[in-house]
């Protein structure tokens, strides 16, 4: 039988505020010293009072506005009651019926994925299970860290699309600077709901929820596994039971954890310690938040392709690495200045598409391979000059590699490096000619072969000359002289 895959995601994201959600403790859940960022509020002492973090609310609303959600005038916090050792109050402050954001959508590879809601809650602490004893330890550094949850409608159609959704969401959150979204640190994690329905648009399948997926790979693999498991179950006449499952990364399988009967009744009720939020009276300025929203990845994609004549691959690279994309734009603007100031014979409109592609090309290859970590150690002006020197054939690609390496090491400007290292182009043709004659003399066999019609021998000789000139001669000049000599 053929089934339709139906997936809905619930994505949790730790926000990058300075302090926690309801107290003034540092929001620094990865501190190596356990229980250092805690206070009576976030470690659940009775009689303490939470105060909502306005910055966290504003960040949540910023995401909502960026994704086209409505921001209701009224929202509130609720208590979600359950016991767990890393939840000292025995309830989590969350939002049930009145979240900060409703509706909206996120475009993934051309398809709009509808969003149900975005709300704000607090993260729990962490249990540390030590392997050499039979006890578990609890670290409350993460307890009370602002946690934003985004829920999608059940409209995602494949494991791949779910993964792409999570990746695109992560990128947007990075652009909006609301979270560091480091998946390895658990700053973004997803629950994936999946059912198989009998026809498109129908929701007649039984839903399984896979909890706590903490990498894009595990989202994709877990969903692929679960689609197959449910398919085989249905095909063999079985039934899917509604349950929560976990993903075992070692075995690459999902495992049943609890069925619907065992599921919690959270007994939500409005938190009596926290006043509801009326946007009007809250000092939250929606207009100001809206105007703080930067250009988002999707807009940047179209603009980069149009403005800089880049390929899909180049664009994607520079959009995914936002810092590199920002850097690239600085380089391009320097290139524009450089042409205007130093070479009035070049027309900006003619040359810019070529220069901007050349700059992207070098950024994605040689530049990337020299880069260690996130730093961009070369001044954009120097990199622009480097690109111009290549464009004007002032450096062979071999010399360019050496110069770029030196620029990474010293931060110097390329023309100075060329001078200092004696890499200046050999402009004296008689000097080049001399070296060509030497190479011809050293390789009589290749010369003979070429004269017999073997093209490869010509390339071989060029290689020999390039080596002899240490890449300092213009390859076009070499080719011209060599041809003349071999006739
Ligand atoms: P709950 O309150 O149990 O968490 P919700 O109705 O809020 O359930 O849905 C939670 C998630 O499950 C949402 O992401 C939603 O898109 C998804 N979901 C709902 N129905 C289905 C279904 N039939 N198949 C797959 N996912 C579903
Ligand atoms: Mg749920
Ligand atoms: Zn605290």
């Amino acid at each position: 039988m053929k089934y339709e895959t139906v997936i809905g995601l619930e994505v949790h994201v730790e926000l990058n505020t300075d302090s926690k959600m309801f107290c003034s403790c540092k929001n620094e859940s990865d501190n190596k010293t356990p229980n250092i960022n805690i206070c009576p509020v976030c470690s659940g002492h009775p009689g303490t009072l939470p105060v909502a973090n306005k910055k966290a609310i504003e960040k949540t609303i910023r995401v909502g506005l960026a994704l086209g959600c409505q921001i209701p005038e009224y929202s509130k916090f609720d208590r979600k009651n359950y016991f767990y050792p890393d939840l000292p109050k025995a309830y989590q402050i969350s939002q049930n019926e009145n979240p900060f954001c409703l509706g909206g959508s996120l475009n993934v590879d051309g398809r709009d994925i509808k969003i149900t809601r975005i709300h704000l809650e607090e993260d729990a602490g962490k249990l540390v299970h030590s392997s050499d004893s039979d006890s578990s330890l609890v670290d409350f550094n993460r307890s009370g860290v602002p946690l934003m949850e985004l829920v999608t409608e059940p409209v995602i159609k494949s494991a791949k699309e779910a993964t792409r959704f999570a990746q695109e969401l992560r990128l947007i959150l990075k652009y909006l600077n609301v979270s560091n979204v480091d998946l390895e640190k658990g700053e973004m994690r997803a629950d994936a709901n999946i059912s198989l329905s009998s026809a498109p648009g129908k929701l007649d399948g039984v839903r399984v929820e896979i909890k706590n997926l903490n990498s894009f790979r595990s989202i994709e693999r877990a969903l692929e596994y679960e689609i197959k498991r449910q398919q085989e179950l249905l095909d063999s006449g079985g039934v899917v039971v509604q349950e929560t499952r976990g993903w075992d990364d070692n075995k690459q399988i999902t495992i049943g954890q609890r069925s619907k009967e065992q599921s919690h009744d959270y007994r939500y009720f409005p938190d009596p310690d926290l006043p509801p939020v009326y946007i009007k009276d809250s000092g939250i300025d929606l207009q100001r938040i809206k105007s703080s929203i930067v250009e988002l990845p999707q807009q940047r994609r179209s603009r980069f392709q149009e403005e800089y004549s880049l390929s899909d691959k180049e664009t994607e690279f520079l959009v995914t690495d936002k810092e590199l994309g920002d850097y690239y734009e600085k380089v391009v603007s320097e290139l524009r200045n450089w042409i205007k100031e130093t070479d009035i014979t070049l027309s900006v409109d003619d040359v810019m598409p070529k220069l901007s592609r050349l700059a992207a090309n070098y950024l994605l290859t040689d530049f990337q391979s020299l880069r260690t970590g996130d730093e961009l150690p070369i001044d954009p002006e120097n990199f622009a000059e480097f690109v111009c020197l290549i464009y004007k054939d002032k450096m062979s690609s071999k010399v360019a590699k050496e110069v770029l390496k030196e620029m990474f090491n010293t931060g110097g400007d390329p023309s100075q490096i060329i001078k200092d290292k004696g890499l200046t182009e050999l402009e004296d043709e008689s000097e080049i000619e001399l070296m060509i004659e030497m190479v011809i003399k050293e390789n009589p066999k290749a010369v003979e072969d070429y004269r017999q019609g073997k093209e490869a021998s010509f390339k071989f000789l060029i290689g020999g000359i390039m080596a002899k000139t240490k890449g300092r001669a213009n390859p076009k000049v070499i080719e011209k002289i060599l041809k003349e000599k071999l006739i």
Side-chain angles (χ1 to χ4, degrees):
M1 249 196 83
K2 184 89 184 70
Y3 310 99
E4 296 292 321
T5 300
V6 181
I7 297 168
L9 293 176
E10 298 164 86
V11 186
H12 290 91
V13 178
E14 282 178 16
L15 300 182
N16 59 357
T17 52
D18 293 335
S19 58
K20 288 189 179 180
M21 188 58 225
F22 297 111
C23 62
S24 56
C25 287
K26 265 199 196 143
N27 173 6
E28 193 192 55
S29 54
D30 59 340
N31 193 304
K32 292 281 175 296
T33 313
N35 297 308
I36 187 144
N37 297 316
I38 61 171
C39 74
V41 176
C42 58
S43 51
H45 290 212
T48 54
L49 273 181
V51 177
N53 182 335
K54 190 173 159 198
K55 290 261 166 60
I57 298 175
E58 286 173 336
K59 282 184 189 253
T60 302
I61 290 177
R62 191 186 304 164
V63 177
L65 290 173
L67 298 178
C69 305
Q70 294 165 41
I71 312 300
E73 168 55 26
Y74 166 82
S75 38
K76 67 174 167 56
F77 289 103
D78 300 286
R79 287 189 183 178
K80 181 178 181 180
N81 299 280
Y82 63 102
F83 172 78
Y84 208 69
D86 61 13
L87 190 76
K89 296 194 293 269
Y91 63 82
Q92 176 191 28
I93 304 177
S94 180
Q95 298 189 284
N96 191 23
E97 311 118 319
N98 299 96
F100 286 117
C101 315
L102 286 170
S105 68
L106 194 162
N107 190 285
V108 179
D109 304 333
R111 224 169 72 79
D112 278 330
I113 306 295
K114 279 206 173 104
I115 291 162
T116 313
R117 56 186 277 153
I118 308 174
H119 68 257
L120 195 48
E121 55 191 34
E122 53 179 342
D123 210 346
K126 243 184 229 164
L127 285 182
V128 184
H129 309 286
S130 70
S131 52
D132 49 275
S133 84
D134 53 7
S135 60
S136 290
L137 303 169
V138 65
D139 175 7
F140 288 130
N141 282 341
R142 196 177 73 179
S143 173
V145 160
L147 194 65
M148 187 190 81
E149 179 173 343
L150 179 150
V151 183
T152 77
E153 292 286 294
V155 290
I156 297 169
K157 289 182 173 172
S158 68
K160 184 78 210 162
E161 190 172 57
T163 311
R164 287 285 307 120
F165 178 92
Q167 287 169 334
E168 189 68 8
L169 174 64
R170 175 173 186 269
L171 194 56
I172 291 172
L173 299 176
K174 256 189 120 129
Y175 270 58
L176 294 172
N177 185 27
V178 297
S179 169
N180 302 331
V181 278
D182 186 336
L183 277 78
E184 273 172 26
K185 288 188 183 163
E187 290 171 349
M188 176 172 174
R189 30 197 217 263
D191 303 337
N193 297 268
I194 154 118
S195 66
L196 298 183
S197 71
S198 61
K202 273 200 174 170
L203 288 177
D204 54 357
V206 176
R207 156 169 48 128
V208 163
E209 180 174 20
I210 316 167
K211 279 273 183 206
N212 258 322
L213 299 166
N214 53 16
S215 70
F216 297 126
R217 223 173 118 94
S218 63
I219 293 175
E220 190 161 348
R221 292 278 172 82
L223 281 168
E224 273 167 2
Y225 178 89
E226 194 56 27
I227 291 167
K228 191 153 171 278
R229 187 187 71 87
Q230 294 185 17
Q231 236 164 26
E232 286 171 2
L233 205 55
L234 294 172
D235 281 343
S236 62
V239 286
V240 176
V241 293
Q242 188 175 338
E243 63 178 345
T244 302
R245 296 176 75 88
W247 173 242
D248 185 326
D249 213 22
N250 293 322
K251 295 193 186 130
Q252 299 274 302
I253 56 171
T254 63
I255 296 169
Q257 289 177 332
R258 57 181 144 86
S259 68
K260 194 183 178 189
E261 286 71 39
Q262 300 158 286
S263 78
H264 297 293
D265 179 354
Y266 295 117
R267 299 191 183 260
Y268 280 101
F269 65 85
D271 193 309
D273 291 339
L274 286 157
V277 177
Y278 293 90
I279 296 286
K280 253 204 309 306
D281 310 328
S282 64
I284 293 168
D285 183 345
L286 295 187
Q287 221 38 56
R288 212 198 77 235
I289 298 176
K290 208 170 216 162
S291 59
S292 77
I293 296 174
V294 295
E295 178 187 52
L296 295 177
Q298 196 48 38
Q299 298 158 277
R300 186 173 257 206
R301 279 187 191 101
S302 339
R303 189 170 62 78
F304 269 31
Q305 286 187 331
E306 224 166 86
E307 235 173 276
Y308 307 130
S309 333
L310 300 181
S311 70
D312 285 356
K313 191 175 154 245
E314 289 163 340
T315 305
E316 204 48 39
F317 204 93
L318 294 172
V319 170
T320 312
D321 188 338
K322 183 171 184 295
E323 280 77 40
L324 195 66
D326 292 343
Y327 179 80
Y328 174 71
E329 295 215 89
K330 285 191 200 133
V331 171
V332 171
S333 111
E334 290 293 344
L335 284 170
R336 225 174 254 129
N337 294 340
W338 205 84
I339 298 174
K340 277 192 221 145
E341 284 164 17
T342 62
D343 199 338
I344 46 164
T345 61
L346 296 176
S347 130
V348 175
D349 288 345
D350 273 359
V351 177
M352 268 325 282
K354 288 175 201 148
L355 279 178
S356 58
R357 273 204 306 269
L358 195 59
N361 205 295
Y362 266 89
L363 269 189
L364 265 57
T365 54
D366 294 15
F367 188 97
Q368 263 321 91
S369 66
L370 286 167
R371 198 171 159 202
T372 50
D374 291 336
E375 280 106 274
L376 298 162
I378 298 179
D379 188 78
E381 196 184 332
N382 284 340
F383 190 71
E385 190 184 343
F386 170 82
V387 172
C388 282
L389 290 172
I390 295 171
Y391 178 73
K392 295 171 114 191
D393 267 335
K394 296 284 179 208
M395 289 187 285
S396 65
S397 60
K398 190 162 168 257
V399 169
K401 269 195 191 357
E402 204 173 330
V403 170
L404 192 62
K405 201 167 157 199
E406 195 60 19
M407 289 170 76
F408 261 85
N409 292 336
T410 63
D413 84 83
S415 13
Q416 193 59 43
I417 291 171
I418 290 172
K419 250 184 235 149
D420 291 351
K421 302 206 99 191
L423 295 168
T424 32
E425 196 187 359
L426 278 179
E427 284 185 340
D428 185 352
E429 289 205 7
S430 61
E431 202 177 328
I432 301 174
E433 210 175 321
L434 218 66
M435 294 194 197
I436 292 179
E437 276 164 5
M438 279 163 75
V439 172
I440 288 178
K441 210 171 277 168
E442 287 161 11
N443 297 283
K445 172 105 177 53
V447 171
E448 188 51 35
D449 287 351
Y450 171 71
R451 290 196 170 123
Q452 300 296 325
K454 199 171 153 200
E455 267 308 308
S457 300
F458 189 75
K459 290 220 174 71
F460 172 80
L461 290 167
I462 294 265
I465 299 160
M466 293 290 283
K468 193 154 278 253
T469 58
K470 299 203 168 65
R472 288 164 56 215
N474 185 333
K476 284 176 199 139
V477 176
I478 296 181
E479 235 183 273
K480 190 192 84 191
I481 302 178
L482 183 62
K483 277 226 169 92
E484 286 166 9
K485 300 249 167 229
L486 291 180
I487 291 168

